[in-house]
Amino acid sequence: MPAAARKKAVAPRAWQRMISGRRLDLLDPSPFDVEIEDIAHGLARVARWNGQTHGDHAFSVAEHSVVVLDILDHLYPDLEQKWRLAALLHDASEYVIGDMISPFKAALGVNYREFEDRLEAAIHLRFGLPPKLPKETKRKIKRADVICAYFEATQIAGFSHDESLRFFGRPPAELEVEIVPKSVKQAQILFLDRFETVLGQFEGQR
């Protein structure tokens, strides 16, 4: 086989080297290659709303994840610790694939969803969660996620109150959330600290 043809036959690289040194296979991710430090590092550097927000800092997915957990705790104070951990990690796959806005995900189609699901399953298994969450748990986390999006949209993303209501619905009247984008380092530390707390509570409950 000519050298050019051999070159063409070589499969493209399908792994990413993480800051920890791990090599994560993107097509077949292994829980053994998932590290929380990599997740925190990545999520603190991924901007919500494609970075189209007010303030000196982007609002990171790391900080968003912590706020979603706070909202979930308000809505469902008796939720099992493992589902609180799942809530904190609900966007963890974005440390690899970034935070794509929903319209773009829809345009990419089902293959993207399957890829995201495989990565999410590996993350869940790494930290003692089931690869797929129960529907009711997903519904609760999604509710908290949408409520968080409402506050982000109105406070930092330039949406009017009416627009936010139309796209995200009305949050509970008694719930007040202040969105204050933090620096990358602050967001990373915040996420890691909350992870250690919730993981400890989860392991204490097992």
Side-chain angles (χ1 to χ4, degrees), residues 150 153-155 157-168:
Y150 166 88
T154 52
Q155 293 181 32
F159 284 57
S160 70
H161 177 69
D162 289 342
E163 280 180 317
S164 294
L165 288 178
R166 187 162 72 250
F167 290 119
F168 308 110

Side-chain angles (χ1 to χ4, degrees), residues 26-27 29 109-121:
L26 303 180
L27 300 180
V110 70
N111 287 342
Y112 174 84
R113 182 69 251 183
E114 290 172 357
F115 173 72
E116 195 174 33
D117 286 346
R118 283 197 298 272
L119 186 53
E120 186 176 82

Side-chain angles (χ1 to χ4, degrees), residues 6-19:
R6 282 201 307 272
K7 215 172 185 182
K8 226 176 182 183
V10 175
R13 176 170 67 88
W15 53 265
Q16 177 170 347
R17 186 180 299 282
M18 297 299 168
I19 202 74

Side-chain angles (χ1 to χ4, degrees), residues 179-196:
I179 303 298
V180 182
K182 301 183 184 301
S183 70
V184 167
K185 195 64 180 174
Q186 288 174 320
Q188 187 171 336
I189 291 170
L190 176 69
F191 181 88
L192 274 175
D193 284 351
R194 188 61 62 89
F195 173 83
E196 293 298 337

Side-chain angles (χ1 to χ4, degrees), residues 6-201:
R6 282 201 307 272
K7 215 172 185 182
K8 226 176 182 183
V10 175
R13 176 170 67 88
W15 53 265
Q16 177 170 347
R17 186 180 299 282
M18 297 299 168
I19 202 74
S20 65
R22 294 282 188 184
R23 296 206 321 188
L24 184 70
D25 186 332
L26 303 180
L27 300 180
D28 186 22
S30 166
F32 296 108
D33 291 323
V34 174
E35 300 290 350
I36 193 60
E37 290 80 11
D38 293 334
I39 293 173
H41 182 92
L43 295 187
R45 289 160 174 79
V46 175
R48 293 273 293 168
W49 308 94
N50 282 341
Q52 298 301 305
T53 52
H54 299 290
D56 293 335
H57 305 292
F59 188 65
S60 71
V61 175
E63 190 177 353
H64 162 82
S65 300
V66 173
V67 176
V68 167
L69 176 57
D70 288 341
I71 293 172
L72 189 81
D73 285 343
H74 174 86
L75 297 173
Y76 311 104
D78 298 323
L79 202 62
E80 288 183 68
Q81 297 298 338
K82 62 182 176 181
W83 305 140
R84 295 182 67 239
L85 180 61
L88 185 65
L89 297 172
H90 79 281
D91 279 338
S93 62
E94 293 178 7
Y95 88 108
V96 175
I97 56 181
D99 181 27
M100 292 188 184
I101 59 174
S102 296
F104 192 42
K105 286 183 181 179
L108 287 176
V110 70
N111 287 342
Y112 174 84
R113 182 69 251 183
E114 290 172 357
F115 173 72
E116 195 174 33
D117 286 346
R118 283 197 298 272
L119 186 53
E120 186 176 82
I123 293 167
H124 284 177
L125 289 170
R126 171 65 177 84
F127 300 114
L129 297 169
K132 291 188 74 171
L133 301 181
K135 284 185 179 178
E136 180 61 14
T137 300
K138 288 190 78 167
R139 184 195 68 78
K140 288 175 178 176
I141 294 172
K142 185 62 181 176
R143 184 186 175 204
D145 189 33
V146 171
I147 290 171
C148 188
Y150 166 88
F151 287 109
E152 292 172 24
T154 52
Q155 293 181 32
I156 61 171
F159 284 57
S160 70
H161 177 69
D162 289 342
E163 280 180 317
S164 294
L165 288 178
R166 187 162 72 250
F167 290 119
F168 308 110
R170 189 180 297 278
E174 78 285 358
L175 182 61
E176 292 184 12
V177 175
E178 185 180 7
I179 303 298
V180 182
K182 301 183 184 301
S183 70
V184 167
K185 195 64 180 174
Q186 288 174 320
Q188 187 171 336
I189 291 170
L190 176 69
F191 181 88
L192 274 175
D193 284 351
R194 188 61 62 89
F195 173 83
E196 293 298 337
T197 299
V198 177
L199 181 67
Q201 291 166 334

